Every structure is written in structure tokens, then in C-alpha cells.
Amino acid sequence: PSMPFNLLLLPLLGGFYFFSHWYKTAYFAKRQDKERLLLYSSLWGLLFLAISFFLSSIIPYSSELTEMRRWWAFNTPPIEYSGISSFALGLGLFATEFLNDLAKHFGFWQKEGERVILTHGSQLEKLLYRSLIAGKRVMVTLKNGKVYIGRVTISLTPQEDKDFILLPSKSGYRDEKHRLMLTTDYD
């Protein structure tokens, strides 16, 4: 008997959760378009499904796993492979939390966001990030001619924000010849 295709949704969800929430891949996942996000999620889901199939093959050698299988068979609807598929989803959820806790405890992947911005970020993201780290000021001119000079306090996150927070130190406007006229000093 083959696995029903609708059960493949559970490993896909586990793969998506893992790919988008694991510290090592979360920043990279936010930069992906929907097709690539689906591809990466399905690859992670396939890995969890393979692990789940492998673990189901060693069930007869473990009394605890045999008892879990028996409980599943008597307490859930009789759908073939639902246990394997559900276990793959659970693996994705558990692996994410486990690896993130491990990373917090040992300090892994603290610079992952920086690496992704410098590797995959746009020029604007790189500029804002460098000014954030260096504590330098940036000058922003809006479409209406208003100008703000200040320090970046939070950089933008792709697909999530189109904003960044600027702590202004000076503001003004550009005249009709685009010359800078500062009118307010916040320092």
C-alpha cells in the first residue's frame, strides 16, 4: 500500500516550521520567495519523513515504541501511515525547539543574521546594518523632500517589514534645487 498524498502535508508543515524557525535557517528563510520556501520546506519535511520511516522500522525491537504504536492504533482513526506522518511533523517541531535551546545554551549561530545580511542582503540592508553596528548616522530623504539625519536603531527584516527605526538627531528639507536645509536639531 502506498502513502496517501494528503498525509504528506504533515511532514511539509514540520519542514516549514523547522526551516522558518530554526536559528540557523530562519534569516535565510525570510529572504526566500514562496516557491523556494516551499522547496526548502519540502526537503526538510522529506528528511523528517525518512527519519520517521526509519524509526518505524525499528519499532519491533523496542517495547516502548511498540506500546506507542499500539496506543496510536487504538486512539486515532484508522488511516494508514498517519502515525508516521504525524511523527514527522512532531520531529520538525521538536527538532526546532531542541536545536534552538541548544544554540541558546552554547551560543551557536549568534552571528547568523549578520552573515545572511552580508551574503544575501540588498545594498540598503547592508548600509543600514553597517550604520547600526558602527553607531553612525544616516541621512534619509523622503519623497516629499523632508530630510532626517539620525542613528538606525532597528534594521528592516525582509518580507516582514518595509520600515526601519531612526532616532533623529537633525531634520529639515530639500529646497527646489535639492540643497539640504536643516531646520531642527534634536541633540
Side-chain angles (χ1 to χ4, degrees), residues 13-83:
L13 290 173
F16 171 76
Y17 184 82
F18 183 79
F19 181 60
S20 63
H21 289 84
W22 182 33
Y23 292 157
K24 180 76 174 158
T25 58
Y27 296 106
F28 182 68
K30 289 180 181 179
R31 289 180 156 61
Q32 301 307 310
D33 55 19
K34 57 187 169 192
E35 291 84 10
R36 286 184 188 263
L37 185 61
L38 181 62
L39 175 68
Y40 284 119
S41 299
S42 60
L43 289 175
W44 282 110
L46 184 64
L47 174 68
F48 295 134
L49 188 62
I51 292 169
S52 185
F53 265 115
F54 171 74
L55 291 176
S56 74
S57 69
I58 63 170
I59 283 178
Y61 305 109
S62 168
S63 60
E64 292 86 12
L65 291 176
T66 304
E67 191 58 38
M68 280 178 55
R69 178 185 259 180
R70 189 173 294 122
W71 179 89
W72 186 267
F74 288 114
N75 294 301
T76 62
I79 301 171
E80 271 190 294
Y81 298 106
S82 64

Side-chain angles (χ1 to χ4, degrees), residues 104-140:
K104 282 181 194 174
H105 188 264
F106 291 107
F108 299 142
W109 308 304
Q110 289 180 342
K111 297 285 187 174
E112 191 63 26
E114 177 183 19
R115 185 191 67 78
V116 171
I117 287 174
L118 296 177
T119 308
H120 303 287
S122 67
Q123 294 303 316
L124 177 62
E125 285 178 298
K126 291 175 186 177
L127 172 72
L128 293 175
Y129 183 74
R130 284 194 308 267
S131 69
L132 176 68
I133 297 302
K136 297 204 174 194
R137 296 178 180 166
V138 294
M139 179 171 51
V140 178

Side-chain angles (χ1 to χ4, degrees), residues 163-174:
D163 308 326
F164 64 94
I165 297 176
L166 185 74
L167 184 61
S169 57
K170 296 179 179 18
S171 67
Y173 63 95
R174 292 198 181 270

